[in-house]
Amino acid sequence: GDTIVLDDVGSQAHMGAIVGKSLTLVGRPGVRPRISRLHVEGIGPSGSVVVRDLYGRRSWTEPWLTARDCEGVLLLDDLWATSEESVTLDLVDCASVILRRCRVEGAYYGFTPIDVPTISAVRSSLSAYECELIGPEGQAGTSGFSCTGGGYGGTTLELRDSSEARVASSDLIGGPGGLGGWSSSGPCSDGAQGAAAEVDATSRLDLVATDVFGSIDGGGATSTTAGPE
């Protein structure tokens, strides 16, 4: 496939859609340009899409990345991606999504519906290597004459409908709880940490040499290997 090299565009941001073709999308070395929205769809069985050396940040209610009906390989390499008010990576019917040396963060506190994970995989296969995967941050409490506690953090990785994921040599971190507010009588409590993963009964999560911070919920199959890959 073709290669597109993105350069810095100042305060603006690139947006893109890759439909039905192989492509490499890469930031110019030393620049790491911002891309605010990326949609990938219809990669054939022998096709591949590579996205490398970019900063992905979505400022509205849509995911930063949506991937649909991909039979080929989608490789996200050396990315930093986040979304302010939605899922960061939204994967549906994708046969092979690979994250390598990525930092993927969930929504920011104050904008986070508690049921929005950082990564959502439906009928999809995901592998992550040498990554930091971090859940949405809980909403901060309010301060004043009386105060409220912080909201609890969100789920980092959600696997549904016969999805599978392998996370190796990485950190899988449930969303941090929001900070509690303050009142004249003292602080209110901080929110609880969110789940590192939610794996439904039809899905599977394999962890290899990965540090997990937060619970793994949902009743699906999970394995943990402490040693090297």
Side-chain angles (χ1 to χ4, degrees):
D2 297 330
T3 296
I4 297 176
V5 179
L6 299 181
D7 211 335
D8 187 20
V9 288
S11 62
Q12 303 300 311
H14 299 280
M15 300 179 68
I18 304 169
V19 179
K21 66 175 295 182
S22 294
L23 185 71
T24 295
L25 188 64
V26 59
R28 189 173 299 283
V31 174
R32 195 182 290 276
R34 178 183 168 190
I35 182 168
S36 66
R37 181 90 167 90
L38 182 62
H39 177 76
V40 180
E41 183 175 354
I43 306 171
S46 61
S48 64
V49 168
V50 178
V51 183
R52 178 178 290 128
D53 292 330
L54 296 174
Y55 170 46
R57 179 176 174 180
R58 184 63 178 162
S59 300
W60 303 103
T61 57
E62 297 174 309
W64 172 69
L65 169 75
T66 51
R68 299 287 187 269
D69 302 315
C70 294
E71 298 178 86
V73 175
L74 171 58
L75 170 61
L76 306 178
D77 186 18
D78 197 15
L79 298 180
W80 180 12
T82 188
S83 183
E84 286 191 2
E85 299 184 53
S86 184
V87 178
T88 303
L89 307 182
D90 185 17
L91 315 172
V92 179
D93 294 320
C94 293
S96 181
V97 178
I98 302 171
L99 308 180
R100 188 170 61 191
R101 298 187 301 271
C102 293
R103 180 181 176 91
V104 184
E105 301 177 350
Y108 296 126
Y109 70 86
F111 301 101
T112 312
I114 58 174
D115 59 347
V116 173
T118 299
I119 302 171
S120 172
V122 178
R123 298 182 299 276
S124 295
S125 178
L126 170 72
S127 300
Y129 303 95
E130 299 179 6
C131 292
E132 289 183 280
L133 309 177
I134 304 169
E137 186 173 350
Q139 187 170 5
T142 59
S143 299
F145 180 76
S146 60
C147 65
T148 60
Y152 55 87
T155 299
T156 305
L157 174 61
E158 183 180 82
L159 303 176
R160 294 184 287 137
D161 297 347
S162 301
S163 291
E164 58 183 25
R166 184 177 190 268
V167 181
S169 303
S170 298
D171 291 331
L172 183 62
I173 305 169
L179 295 176
W182 283 78
S183 71
S184 57
S185 58
C188 284
S189 60
D190 295 339
Q193 185 173 35
E198 176 112 16
V199 184
D200 78 5
T202 68
S203 300
R204 180 177 183 86
L205 172 62
D206 296 313
L207 301 168
V208 180
T210 288
D211 292 325
V212 177
F213 302 88
S215 61
I216 297 177
D217 302 333
T222 304
S223 71
T224 301
T225 304
E229 299 176 51

